[in-house]
Amino acid sequence: MQFLQILSRKPGSLEVLFQIPFCQKQFPYMCLSTSACVYSKKKRGNSYDQVDQEKYKNLVHSVISYKTSAQTPETILEEDNLLYGPPAKHTPPIKAGTRTPKNWVPLINPSKRILPVSSDSKVPMKIRLQRTKMPSVTRILQQTLSPQQVFYLERWKQKMIEELGKEGFEEYTKNLFLQGELFHSALESIFLSEETAARDQGEDDVVAGYLSSVERVLEDISEVKALESGVHHETLQYLGLVDCVAKYQGQLCVIDWKTSEKPKPFLQNTYDNPLQVAAYIGALNHDANYDFQVHCGLVVVAYKDGSPAHPHFMDPDLCSQYWNKWLLRLEEYMDKN
C-alpha cells in the first residue's frame, strides 16, 4: 500500500498534512505529486480609509454630479486669463508680396477726358514708337528678374546649348523671334480686312499652326481700336508697343499675343506677361494720344501645332493687382539705374 502525501511548506521545514492511500497495481503507469505553498501575509489597510472624507466631500460631489465635464468655455477662458493673462492682440506680419509702391500712380487716369464713342468705323490706331531715353517695358522686366527666374532661365539656356550647340541655339532663338513677328503680321492683316490674303499666306509657312490655334479666339474679338501701336506713360516715364486693343467678348482689352511650344493653360504659366499687359494698360491710359481708357487685359497663348489657344482674361481687379506688382518692378529698375 502506497500513500499520497500532502505537504505544507513552512519556513525551514515541511509538514505532512494528510496521507491518501492508493494501490499502485491499479494504476501501474500513473503517479501524482503536488505541493502547496501557503503564504500568510498581513492584511493591508485601505489607504482611502485614512482620507478626511468630510474635507473633500464637496469636491467628490461636484465631480460625480456631472455627466459631462464641469468645465465650460467660459470657465476655461477665466482659468486661462488667471494663469496666463489675457490674450495678446497683435497684427499679422505683412507679407513681402503685399507691400505697396512708394510712388503709386493709379492704373486709370482720373483726369483724362474721354470722348464719346463714335458709331463710325475707324481704322485702328498705329502710333509709331518714339525712340527716346525712356526704358521699355520689356527692358525693365528683363533687368528686374528675380534670382529664381534668372536661375531657371539660365538652366534652360544651358540645356538647349547642350542639345543644339551654341550656334544651333542662336539659330533656334532667331527662328522663334521670326515666327513671332510673322504671326503678329498675319494677325494685323486679318484685322485690317486682309483676312483672305493672310490666311493664304499662312497655309504653307510657319505661322499656319498659330493662326489655326487662335481661330476661336478671333471669333470673340471685335471693334479693334489699335494695332502694333506705341504707348508711353507721361508720369512714370516708360514706353512700350501694344499688340492690339480691341473688345474681347464685349470688354475692351489690351491684348498680348504669345506663341509657345508648350501648353500654358493657366495665367501663372505665362510668367511676367500679365505684368507686361498691366504696364501697357497704365501707359495707354496716361498717354494723351489715346482718347479712351482700358480696364481689362487679355493674354492669348497660341500653339505651333494648331491646338486651341489659351485666352487668359484679366478683369479690372486682376489688372490692378498686376499693376501694383509692375510699379514695384519699375521702382526696382529706377533704383538700379
Side-chain angles (χ1 to χ4, degrees), residues 14 33 56 110 158 161 276 320:
L14 291 174
S33 174
Y56 297 100
Q158 294 300 326
I161 291 177
Q276 187 176 14
S320 296

Side-chain angles (χ1 to χ4, degrees), residues 52-291:
D52 187 351
Q53 297 184 8
E54 286 295 329
K55 182 177 180 180
Y56 297 100
K57 182 177 179 180
N58 293 335
L59 176 61
V60 173
H61 176 73
S62 65
V63 172
I64 66 176
S65 61
Y66 283 89
K67 294 182 180 180
T68 58
S69 173
Q71 288 184 315
T72 63
E74 291 76 12
T75 59
I76 293 176
L77 183 60
E78 290 177 2
E79 292 178 4
D80 288 345
N81 290 339
L82 181 62
L83 294 174
Y84 309 108
K89 295 182 179 180
H90 67 282
T91 56
I94 300 176
K95 297 181 180 179
T98 59
R99 61 191 180 97
T100 57
K102 298 176 183 178
N103 184 23
W104 187 82
V105 176
L107 178 65
I108 307 300
N109 188 351
S111 60
K112 190 171 188 178
R113 182 185 176 188
I114 307 300
L115 298 178
V117 179
S118 175
S119 58
D120 299 334
S121 60
K122 294 182 178 180
V123 177
M125 299 177 65
K126 188 172 184 178
I127 298 177
R128 185 176 179 181
L129 188 65
Q130 300 295 327
R131 296 297 178 183
T132 64
K133 293 183 179 180
M134 288 187 192
S136 67
V137 173
T138 304
R139 181 176 181 178
I140 294 170
L141 291 175
Q142 287 177 347
Q143 295 195 13
T144 56
L145 292 173
S146 67
Q148 185 179 17
Q149 288 175 312
V150 173
F151 170 78
Y152 285 117
L153 185 61
E154 186 63 25
R155 188 176 69 172
W156 170 81
K157 180 180 177 181
Q158 294 300 326
K159 182 180 178 181
M160 295 299 293
I161 291 177
E162 289 178 1
E163 294 179 0
L164 305 176
K166 189 174 181 179
E167 294 182 359
F169 176 71
E170 291 177 356
E171 186 69 20
Y172 171 78
T173 54
K174 182 180 178 180
N175 289 334
L176 284 181
F177 285 117
L178 178 60
Q179 291 176 20
E181 290 179 358
L182 293 175
F183 176 52
H184 282 74
S185 177
L187 288 172
E188 184 178 359
S189 298
I190 292 175
F191 291 131
L192 292 175
S193 300
E194 300 173 11
E195 181 173 357
T196 304
R199 290 187 186 277
D200 292 342
Q201 179 187 6
E203 285 181 357
D204 299 326
D205 60 19
V206 293
V207 299
Y210 296 124
L211 292 177
S212 177
S213 178
V214 298
E215 278 186 355
R216 292 187 178 181
V217 178
L218 295 178
E219 294 175 0
D220 292 326
I221 292 179
S222 61
E223 299 184 30
V224 180
K225 301 179 74 67
L227 286 172
E228 301 293 331
S229 188
V231 295
H232 75 280
H233 201 294
E234 298 173 352
T235 304
L236 298 177
Q237 293 293 294
Y238 69 86
L239 51 80
L241 188 66
V242 175
D243 289 347
C244 178
V245 179
K247 285 188 177 181
Y248 173 73
Q249 296 181 350
Q251 298 287 335
L252 187 62
C253 301
V254 165
I255 304 174
D256 201 31
W257 305 99
K258 297 297 180 184
T259 60
S260 177
E261 297 178 351
K262 295 182 180 180
K264 295 182 178 180
F266 304 105
L267 185 62
Q268 57 265 31
N269 300 139
T270 62
Y271 305 106
D272 283 341
N273 294 151
L275 276 74
Q276 187 176 14
V277 170
Y280 290 155
I281 294 174
L284 184 149
N285 292 339
H286 289 79
D287 192 329
N289 293 314
Y290 300 89
D291 58 359

